[in-house]
Amino acid sequence: MASTARIVAMTIQKRRERERAERERLIVRVARELAEAEGWDSVTTRRLAAEVEYSQPVLYSHFKGKDAIMAAVAVQGCEELAAELRKARTSAGSPRQALAAVGEAYTAFGRRRPALYDAMFTHAVDLPFATPEAPAALHEAFGELAKAVEPVAAEGDEPELLTETYWAGLHGLVTLMRSGRLPEGGHERRLALLIGHFVPAGMG
Amino acid sequence: MASTARIVAMTIQKRRERERAERERLIVRVARELAEAEGWDSVTTRRLAAEVEYSQPVLYSHFKGKDAIMAAVAVQGCEELAAELRKARTSAGSPRQALAAVGEAYTAFGRRRPALYDAMFTHAVDLPFATPEAPAALHEAFGELAKAVEPVAAEGDEPELLTETYWAGLHGLVTLMRSGRLPEGGHERRLALLIGHFVPAGMG
DNA sequence: TCTTGTCGCTAGCGCCGCTAGCGAATCGAG
DNA sequence: CTCGATTCGCTAGCGGCGCTAGCGACAAGA
């Protein structure tokens, strides 16, 4: 009897943990949907709690604070970005085309999913970046960039630094455009200029 | 007598306007100092009002809101950035050196004056950017970049777009580094890579 | 059955940006 | 010189923010 009770208790506990994990995923999903629909300013802890139909303190039993929720959304974004970069890179014919494809995919992602992009690359400094502890999805996304950059690296260029530099160029284009500091028109030509200057003459 | 009274009234009014303008400058100066010392999060309307020794509503008689105060600080920042870019550009010996000098001056500015940089290029979308109505100081700063970029533009490169692209690269380097997404070490080499890729082979 | 512990709730703290509306000081006319 | 009109900075407060203390209901184990 005692053993039966213990087993039942254990399965009950498992169900609890399952439900709890599900609720956590719900919070992240709703936070993301809300942010994408109305912007991060609309994602307040009160509003988010109301949308998931729990009280505010429940959020804090899952996450340390609002920034941690944004960080969770950012990790999701990294996964999607990595997938899109990979797809762009692997379906390109030449190194130059691959570099252009990931550049276009990156900036397209930033424009199509601004809330996700902000969580990943402008807000939320909580999650580590340039260290091994950074989320795997982030390494994966950066790795896609790196794999596209390395083939066009010149003699003596350190590939990692060159990738970071290319990333910075793409990031600058996305953020300056999205904040209205660069006109939307001309984006393709700016991107082409950036890419062109990263490819050695006569390559591609 | 009536005319004397009117004249006196006018000079009194002038003094008033002078004092009012002085108070406005005080607000902007204190806002900037506070932001540079403790970050923009510490620049609340209550705190700022206390520092200038007036009540909160006084701020709103000068500025539409907090964003407008940040915008005023941003304009100051543009003036300083423009001056530093000009100095860097004019004291360089060759087109390549000029491009490198403004790039270094730009990123150095972003790192040395993070609060100012944020007001100018990451927050405060209030002030117009890519239009003629943009503040003169902003045009001036961009013009300095343009004057450094144009000499190295290749045949067929649209100079304005190329300048924007170079700016985006610099901006990306500054923001990704300052938010901890790029390691501080390696900045000089990344900057050198960016500059090197913007200069046609065999130039400078 | 009763104790113990878990869990989500209500309520509230100290902030924020911003504003309504009052009272004192000043101005212009008689 | 007096007195209504106007200017101007103040106190006080609104609604909302991130976050948390602490209570009550409910479930688990003796």
Side-chain angles (χ1 to χ4, degrees):
Chain A
M1 281 302 138
S3 62
T4 310
R6 201 177 305 128
I7 289 171
V8 168
M10 280 180 66
T11 65
I12 287 177
Q13 185 150 347
K14 287 205 172 182
R15 172 181 56 82
R16 290 246 172 100
E17 288 171 9
R18 210 167 49 231
E19 288 172 352
R20 188 176 162 79
E22 196 165 338
R23 191 173 64 178
E24 189 161 316
R25 284 195 299 275
L26 174 67
I27 292 170
V28 175
R29 188 175 75 240
V30 170
R32 172 185 168 160
E33 287 170 0
L34 198 48
E36 294 194 306
E38 306 182 24
W40 281 107
D41 284 351
S42 293
V43 185
T44 69
T45 56
R46 282 172 177 79
R47 176 82 185 275
L48 180 55
E51 300 273 354
V52 299
E53 296 178 317
Y54 281 94
S55 70
Q56 261 181 302
V58 166
L59 304 179
Y60 292 88
S61 75
H62 288 275
F63 300 95
K64 190 182 159 193
K66 186 187 168 177
D67 284 359
I69 297 175
M70 288 186 65
V73 173
V75 170
Q76 276 198 2
C78 288
E79 292 163 9
E80 293 195 19
L81 176 62
E84 293 185 18
L85 293 183
R86 173 171 222 94
K87 188 178 163 191
R89 181 180 61 83
T90 56
S91 58
S94 70
R96 184 199 174 104
Q97 283 171 358
L99 188 73
V102 295
E104 282 156 19
Y106 185 98
T107 55
F109 180 88
R111 301 173 81 185
R112 194 176 70 253
R113 302 240 180 257
L116 225 45
Y117 192 89
D118 283 347
M120 295 159 65
F121 297 131
T122 62
H123 293 331
V125 187
D126 282 31
L127 74 173
F129 252 80
T131 72
E133 301 92 55
L138 191 53
H139 278 125
E140 205 181 324
F142 186 80
E144 289 302 322
L145 273 185
K147 287 194 202 108
V149 168
E150 274 158 18
V152 302
E155 192 85 16
D157 282 356
E158 295 160 277
E160 174 125 350
L161 287 169
L162 189 63
T163 304
E164 292 172 351
T165 307
Y166 185 52
W167 177 29
L170 297 173
H171 177 70
L173 286 176
V174 169
T175 54
L176 289 177
M177 192 165 49
R178 281 218 321 105
S179 68
R181 283 159 175 108
L182 285 180
E184 299 261 336
H187 169 65
E188 282 75 15
R189 280 176 291 167
R190 283 190 295 267
L191 182 56
L193 283 170
L194 180 69
I195 292 162
H197 282 87
F198 269 80
V199 180
M203 188 166 189
Chain B
M1 282 302 138
S3 63
T4 309
R6 201 178 303 130
I7 289 170
V8 170
M10 281 180 65
T11 65
I12 288 177
Q13 183 151 349
K14 287 204 172 181
R15 172 182 55 81
R16 292 248 172 97
E17 287 171 10
R18 209 167 50 232
E19 288 172 352
R20 188 177 161 79
E22 197 164 337
R23 194 174 62 180
E24 188 161 315
R25 283 195 299 274
L26 173 67
I27 291 170
V28 175
R29 187 175 75 238
V30 170
R32 171 184 168 160
E33 288 169 359
L34 198 46
E36 293 194 307
E38 306 182 24
W40 282 107
D41 285 352
S42 293
V43 186
T44 69
T45 57
R46 282 172 176 80
R47 176 82 184 275
L48 181 54
E51 300 273 355
V52 299
E53 297 179 316
Y54 281 94
S55 68
Q56 262 182 301
V58 166
L59 303 180
Y60 292 89
S61 76
H62 287 275
F63 299 95
K64 190 182 160 194
K66 187 188 169 178
D67 284 359
I69 297 175
M70 288 185 65
V73 173
V75 169
Q76 276 197 4
C78 287
E79 291 164 10
E80 293 195 19
L81 176 61
E84 293 185 18
L85 293 183
R86 173 171 221 95
K87 187 178 164 191
R89 182 179 61 83
T90 56
S91 58
S94 70
R96 184 197 173 103
Q97 283 172 357
L99 188 74
V102 296
E104 281 156 21
Y106 185 98
T107 56
F109 180 88
R111 299 174 82 184
R112 195 176 70 253
R113 302 239 182 257
L116 226 44
Y117 191 89
D118 283 348
M120 294 159 66
F121 297 132
T122 61
H123 293 331
V125 186
D126 281 32
L127 76 172
F129 252 79
T131 71
E133 302 93 53
L138 190 55
H139 278 125
E140 205 180 325
F142 186 81
E144 289 302 322
L145 272 186
K147 287 194 202 107
V149 169
E150 274 157 18
V152 302
E155 192 85 14
D157 282 355
E158 296 162 277
E160 175 126 350
L161 286 170
L162 188 63
T163 304
E164 291 172 351
T165 307
Y166 185 52
W167 178 29
L170 296 173
H171 177 71
L173 286 177
V174 169
T175 55
L176 288 178
M177 191 166 50
R178 281 221 315 105
S179 68
R181 284 160 174 107
L182 285 180
E184 299 261 338
H187 169 64
E188 283 73 16
R189 281 176 291 167
R190 283 190 295 266
L191 183 56
L193 283 171
L194 180 68
I195 292 162
H197 282 87
F198 268 80
V199 179
M203 188 165 188

